[in-house]
Amino acid sequence: PVLVSDKFEGKCRVGETLSFSVSDFVGDADGDLFTITANGVAPDWKLSDDAKTMIFDVGGKAADYDFTLTFDDNDASVDLPVKIKVTNEKPKETALLVLPHFILKAPGFMFFVDYDDQAVSYELNDYFSDPEGLPLVYSLETPTDMAKLNGSVLDIDPCQAVNERLRLTVTDSS
């Protein structure tokens, strides 16, 4: 066997699988079958049914894996260094979201406290981000006539003087 690429580096989140095509990293001119062994601490792995794809199951906790895969065809062997980073980072607030007519009473809960007939829109992606670059998903518990979500835009249209309770939830797309 010969190495087509000198290493494999991958990143995924807890609970996901990560895979790569074996032929992108190792080749054999004779078409011999390989025996594959992992040396070092590696996540659980398997080959696809057609033996063309290597699939890693990273499990349920964040970790950094740094190991070597040895491909052996009984005539020769090659080592492929592998690094896999498994993360579990939550979205982070990147700017303070100030809603002038709301008061935060508990984590995530807002109460409307003043009347103003001007509609306001907030692009929530300006206030939240995911450290891993994953798209964010916003949800508004109990949307009302006064507050609605349109994708990542929170529209506030205070049509009347009321006390409204809203809960905004921000998650990443995983």
Side-chain angles (χ1 to χ4, degrees), residues 67-171:
F67 58 98
T68 302
L69 291 174
T70 300
F71 295 83
D72 189 334
D73 70 359
N74 290 330
D75 292 329
S77 66
V78 294
D79 291 332
L80 176 66
V82 177
K83 289 185 179 189
I84 298 175
K85 182 171 187 66
V86 183
T87 62
N88 192 24
E89 297 181 50
K90 295 180 180 177
K92 296 195 179 344
E93 184 177 26
T94 55
L96 181 61
L97 176 59
V98 178
L99 302 174
H101 303 293
F102 285 81
I103 297 176
L104 292 177
K105 289 288 189 180
F109 286 96
M110 299 176 285
F111 292 86
F112 183 65
V113 295
D114 194 8
Y115 177 73
D116 184 348
D117 61 1
Q118 294 182 337
V120 180
S121 293
Y122 297 91
E123 171 53 62
L124 297 175
N125 287 330
D126 293 341
Y127 299 93
F128 300 95
S129 67
D130 185 75
E132 299 157 330
L134 296 171
L136 295 177
V137 177
Y138 301 97
S139 61
L140 190 58
E141 188 177 299
T142 63
T144 66
D145 288 338
M146 185 191 66
K148 293 184 178 159
L149 266 177
N150 183 10
S152 64
V153 177
L154 175 61
D155 293 317
I156 305 288
D157 188 4
C159 53
Q160 56 184 329
V162 295
N163 283 331
E164 299 239 0
R165 179 178 164 169
L166 307 173
R167 182 179 179 108
L168 176 68
T169 303
V170 183
T171 57

